[in-house]
Amino acid sequence: MGNRPEELRALIDSVTKQDGDPVEVVVVGNGSPVPDVPDGVRTVELPENLGIPGGRNVGTEAFGPSGREVDILLFLDDDGLLARDDTAELCREAFAADPRLGIVSFRIADPDTGETQRRHVPRLRASDPMRSSRVTTFLGGANAVRTRVFAEVGGLPDEFFYAHEETDLAWRALDAGWLIDYRSDMVLYHPTTAPSRHAVYHRMVARNRVWLARRNLPAPLVPVYLGVWMLLTLLRRPSRAALKAWFGGFREGWTTPCGPRRPMRWRTVWRLTRLGRPPVI
């Protein structure tokens, strides 16, 4: 967003000093000017904020259609920092070892405490963030994606703007037969934050949850999935203002276009269930 020049420079430095072959870097200014960056770093400045998925899709296309000029793309938040110099090499090794591996989700850790927030472990059994595992979604600000995934199933959903765009891509990738891994040894340092710091958080989370279900789930699972999430939201006892925004977003999710509907196959539902996260929660 152009308001963290020092953090961005530190992130780029952590990428350029990675072991192995150099990593090409593109910085997308999502509706804002790009601060000064080192020589060799490409920049794209967008005239308006396209949202998180829209901005990342532009970054992908900077490497050709669906990113096809490269084999793997890293997506890193601009206030993050790669903790180790071998992360790029670990990515290369992981994708080379498993031709069906499509996405790798990094572990996000606080730079001061080293702790990983529970919400940053992309599985239901999240008590041990140091355990790597196969998962059903990934973290948008700290991941690596094989570009063949984009070529096969498409990019992130631009219309989501913020929230759940990663799960939408993950479900499409899994339905196409790709695998997703959470790797605790691939670490992005990122300050501990609350997602609700974004003013649009509650509205976008609810709207996009409905869109996610409408786009991707078999019809019988749509009311189950959304009913479970409505119950979980009420049990968390949000403030009156947050609940009002959430229900407004929920209503918007049903009354506005959500993009193309491509329901996953029932065997993908079973696959998600075997991985520990049936698509009803």
Side-chain angles (χ1 to χ4, degrees):
M1 296 302 296
N3 57 357
R4 293 188 284 240
E6 293 181 2
E7 291 89 340
L8 174 62
R9 185 62 181 254
L11 170 64
I12 294 173
D13 289 345
S14 76
V15 173
T16 56
K17 70 178 184 180
Q18 289 293 300
D19 299 336
D21 293 336
V23 179
E24 296 183 61
V25 178
V26 170
V27 176
V28 177
N30 208 351
S32 66
V34 176
D36 290 337
V37 295
D39 293 339
V41 174
R42 289 187 283 165
T43 62
V44 180
E45 292 188 356
L46 303 177
E48 61 177 316
N49 182 358
L50 300 183
I52 293 173
R56 288 178 180 153
N57 285 336
V58 168
T60 298
E61 295 296 308
F63 294 98
S66 300
R68 66 185 180 190
E69 295 173 4
V70 295
D71 295 323
I72 304 165
L73 283 174
L74 305 180
F75 295 91
L76 305 171
D77 275 355
D78 63 350
D79 55 346
L81 183 74
L82 290 176
R84 296 168 41 163
D85 295 344
D86 63 347
T87 303
E89 283 289 82
L90 290 173
C91 282
R92 295 183 182 107
E93 292 169 3
F95 285 106
D98 189 345
R100 296 310 302 167
L101 180 62
I103 303 172
V104 172
S105 187
F106 296 2
R107 181 168 64 89
I108 292 180
D110 185 272
D112 297 321
T113 66
E115 294 182 0
T116 296
Q117 292 179 276
R118 187 180 182 91
R119 69 185 181 90
H120 283 152
V121 182
R123 58 176 180 249
L124 290 179
R125 296 173 181 171
S127 60
D128 182 8
M130 301 306 294
R131 178 174 67 86
S132 299
S133 68
R134 198 135 278 174
V135 290
T136 62
T137 188
F138 64 99
L139 306 176
N143 66 79
V145 182
R146 194 188 296 269
T147 53
R148 282 177 53 203
V149 173
F150 293 129
E152 187 170 341
V153 307
L156 294 159
D158 288 346
E159 56 269 44
F160 278 41
F161 196 84
Y162 163 76
H164 303 317
E165 66 273 3
E166 304 93 346
T167 300
D168 186 88
L169 175 61
W171 282 0
R172 284 182 281 126
L174 289 164
D175 197 47
W178 294 101
L179 304 172
I180 305 173
D181 281 352
Y182 165 72
R183 288 283 296 265
S184 64
D185 57 338
M186 300 182 190
V187 181
L188 183 80
Y189 283 148
H190 188 283
T192 298
T193 56
S196 55
R197 70 189 186 281
H198 299 291
V200 297
Y201 171 76
H202 296 286
R203 170 179 155 253
M204 291 292 197
V205 162
R207 184 197 69 180
N208 292 358
R209 184 79 70 183
V210 178
W211 281 0
L212 180 68
R214 289 175 59 196
R215 286 163 59 97
N216 295 287
L217 291 181
L221 293 186
V222 172
V224 179
Y225 178 81
L226 296 176
V228 167
W229 277 106
M230 180 180 290
L231 178 61
L232 288 173
T233 299
L234 294 173
L235 290 175
R236 290 168 178 166
R237 302 179 68 181
S239 68
R240 184 185 297 269
L243 198 58
K244 181 179 179 181
W246 192 93
F247 275 107
F250 192 84
R251 187 182 313 109
E252 185 182 350
W254 284 109
T255 58
T256 55
C258 64
R261 173 167 165 76
R262 299 187 181 95
M264 67 178 65
R265 293 167 291 184
W266 283 102
R267 71 180 184 183
T268 303
V269 172
W270 174 237
R271 186 176 171 204
L272 291 167
T273 302
R274 286 191 292 111
L275 287 170
R277 190 151 197 167
V280 294
I281 188 171

